[in-house]
Amino acid sequence: MKRKRVVVLGATGSIGESALKVARDIPERVEIVAMAANSNAEKLAAAANELRPESVCLVDKGKIDILERALAYQPRIFCGEEGLCEIACLTSADMVLVAIVGTAGLRPALAAIEAGKDLAVASKEILVMAGEIVMREAREKGVHVLPVDSEHNAIFQCLDGRASEIRRIILTASGGPFREMPRPKFDSITSEQALKHPTWNMGPKITIDSATLFNKGLEMIEAHWLFGVEMKRVEVVIHPQSIVHSLVEFADGSTLAQLSYSDMCFPIQYAITWPERVANTLPPLDFSKLAKLEFFTPRYEDFPALSLARRAGETGGTLPAVMNAANEIAVAAFLDGQVRFPSIWQIVERTMNEHASVAHADLEAILAADQWAREVATRIAKTSHR
Ligand code: NAD
Ligand code: MG
């Protein structure tokens, strides 16, 4: 089996770092042919100097000279958003790992599909925003979309090609740091508290999404598109230990689950080496030390993100893109200290309420809805109380 040649978009982030770990762990199976980052030129150069991809890309054009000075060899250098699309189409690449926070990965992902590359998708936001388009384009081009998000990777492993017989998909959620906090205390939650995830170590945006449960809401819509399953068959269960990464109940009542420690190297490696399983140095589960595995029903009333996401996913059209964009604005406002924690879902809900969804929207309509939602959510955030 030859090495998989991978382009990593978002190489300096949490997922990007884990992807580079996988490449170090099984170098005979993975070759990083290109890496991209937004603005951290030094960190990108350090990773490139070690793994020597043939191309690197920095979106922030103002920092290209820092990148050039820090590089110890001469890769091809790309820059700007157009650079992301260019390295996503490199002839030397088999697969593009999209691990950019937010929606900036959408155009490069579509460019990669157009160029016939398989996609490994960590950026759930692009599937929430434009899942119908991404999956249709991938089908038409005959390329694979491999889920990196741990829950979806777990479902993908459980399904193993049996998609038509699914009765329910059950996404597990850790519940975040406020799983047991009484609702009246939510108003005083600080960003420091919200940024402390109990089981996963991730970038700031997804960590806040895990605290509000918007992360799980986004993942419900992500599952709907990735596996072609109606929203009503996608459920959520709270599992504080983050060992069972998700479950699939089949038509005959049997349920399969995937288990491992909470380390993103597991799903990233499987997405890259699929359909093969490759020996690595990751620790297998030690059942003698797993005291218990618990499962609870979510507190739907106290965490409205789940119901908002269900509504967005069931309505479809441009509403998921609006929910996603409003959430990005609201999370940024919370991290800036402009709004309180519960304002995050209040801003999202008010933005969704103002939107008239366009069914089966094309890319242009989706991008317009995304932009509209950012403006509306910014206005609402300004009038929200601190
Ligand atoms: P992060 O904040 O740690 O890293 C973000 C990466 O994206 C960085 O490399 C940054 O340079 C790059 N980036 C940011 N804006 C960009 C832009 N405009 N253009 C190009 N590159 C840009 O984020 P993360 O935690 O690694 O998450 C990345 C994605 O993976 C998110 O969509 C997240 O929801 C998803 N995800 C993450 C985890 C996790 O464990 N961290 C798990 C599941 C899914
Ligand atoms: Mg996840």
Side-chain angles (χ1 to χ4, degrees):
M1 176 81 187
K2 70 183 182 67
R3 292 165 98 195
K4 196 70 75 64
R5 297 167 302 176
V6 183
V7 174
V8 181
L9 306 182
T12 55
S14 164
I15 290 285
E17 281 183 5
S18 296
L20 304 186
K21 256 194 226 164
V22 169
R24 276 182 213 112
D25 197 20
I26 50 167
E28 66 290 356
R29 306 305 293 269
V30 184
E31 180 186 356
I32 307 292
V33 292
M35 353 174 136
N38 189 32
S39 62
N40 194 338
E42 290 92 349
K43 192 167 177 182
L44 180 64
N49 286 339
E50 183 202 341
L51 290 166
R52 302 277 162 144
E54 60 184 54
S55 303
V56 295
C57 173
L58 193 67
V59 174
D60 186 343
K61 292 179 179 166
K63 294 198 173 150
I64 287 291
D65 53 330
I66 303 177
L67 176 68
E68 280 170 345
R69 274 200 302 278
L71 283 166
Y73 71 117
Q74 275 108 33
R76 281 181 73 190
I77 299 178
F78 294 83
C79 63
E81 284 168 25
E82 61 282 12
L84 287 178
C85 291
E86 283 162 355
I87 67 162
C89 301
L90 289 178
T91 43
S92 57
D94 304 311
M95 168 182 272
V96 177
L97 168 61
V98 189
I100 292 175
V101 63
T103 52
L106 180 58
R107 282 189 193 281
L110 291 172
I113 294 173
E114 183 61 28
K117 313 293 179 195
D118 284 341
L119 275 192
V121 181
S123 305
K124 65 195 83 192
E125 295 92 341
I126 70 174
L127 290 172
V128 171
M129 185 183 183
E132 189 173 1
I133 295 174
V134 170
M135 298 309 288
R136 187 180 58 226
E137 299 283 310
R139 247 190 332 272
E140 282 172 7
K141 275 281 168 186
V143 305
H144 299 287
V145 179
L146 300 146
V148 168
D149 209 348
S150 55
E151 296 75 5
H152 306 74
N153 192 273
I155 295 159
F156 182 69
Q157 295 194 39
C158 295
L159 285 178
D160 206 19
R162 288 181 294 257
S164 59
E165 304 154 38
I166 298 173
R167 192 187 283 160
R168 285 194 298 162
I169 279 177
I170 303 158
L171 298 172
T172 52
S174 72
F178 313 123
R179 180 171 66 86
E180 295 186 303
M181 183 184 276
R183 174 66 181 85
K185 290 194 170 168
F186 282 10
D187 275 345
S188 56
I189 287 171
T190 64
S191 55
E192 290 73 25
Q193 285 173 299
L195 284 169
K196 278 207 188 79
H197 196 275
T199 51
W200 292 96
N201 187 6
M202 313 180 283
K205 197 264 177 178
I206 183 172
T207 304
I208 301 300
D209 286 347
S210 300
T212 57
L213 294 198
F214 263 114
N215 182 49
K216 215 47 55 180
L218 297 171
E219 289 181 356
M220 289 163 62
I221 302 173
E222 182 186 13
H224 160 64
W225 288 121
L226 276 171
F227 306 113
V229 170
E230 305 148 276
M231 283 297 291
K232 67 171 192 239
R233 293 183 189 271
V234 183
E235 295 180 15
V236 173
V237 68
I238 302 292
H239 168 50
Q241 291 80 19
S242 299
I243 294 289
V244 175
H245 296 299
S246 279
L247 312 95
V248 181
E249 182 185 297
F250 291 93
D252 61 358
S254 278
T255 299
L256 297 189
Q258 183 264 338
L259 287 73
S260 70
Y261 288 119
S262 47
D263 181 337
M264 288 306 292
C265 289
F266 288 101
I268 293 169
Q269 175 178 320
Y270 190 71
I272 293 176
T273 65
W274 175 84
E276 291 190 37
R277 293 192 182 271
V278 176
N280 58 23
T281 63
L282 293 171
L285 287 175
D286 180 348
F287 283 93
S288 67
K289 293 194 181 126
L290 290 180
K292 57 183 173 185
L293 298 178
E294 297 170 296
F295 301 92
F296 304 103
T297 303
R299 289 161 55 196
Y300 290 103
E301 294 286 315
D302 296 341
F303 293 92
L306 293 175
S307 310
L308 289 171
R310 185 169 295 286
R311 178 179 137 203
E314 278 172 358
T315 307
T318 44
L319 197 58
V322 164
M323 180 188 83
N324 175 65
N327 180 52
E328 272 187 45
I329 296 294
V331 169
F334 171 69
L335 286 174
D336 271 1
Q338 287 174 37
V339 301
R340 291 181 192 162
F341 187 70
S343 303
I344 297 177
W345 55 80
Q346 288 156 6
I347 292 166
V348 174
E349 181 168 18
R350 285 178 58 194
T351 308
M352 285 170 66
N353 289 348
E354 285 192 28
H355 183 66
S357 182
V358 179
H360 300 292
D362 59 12
L363 189 59
E364 207 180 324
I366 287 172
L367 293 171
D370 173 275
Q371 194 50 43
W372 173 89
R374 284 171 202 275
E375 284 157 23
V376 173
T378 303
R379 168 170 56 75
I380 297 171
K382 283 201 180 113
T383 58
S384 297
H385 294 297
R386 181 42 264 169

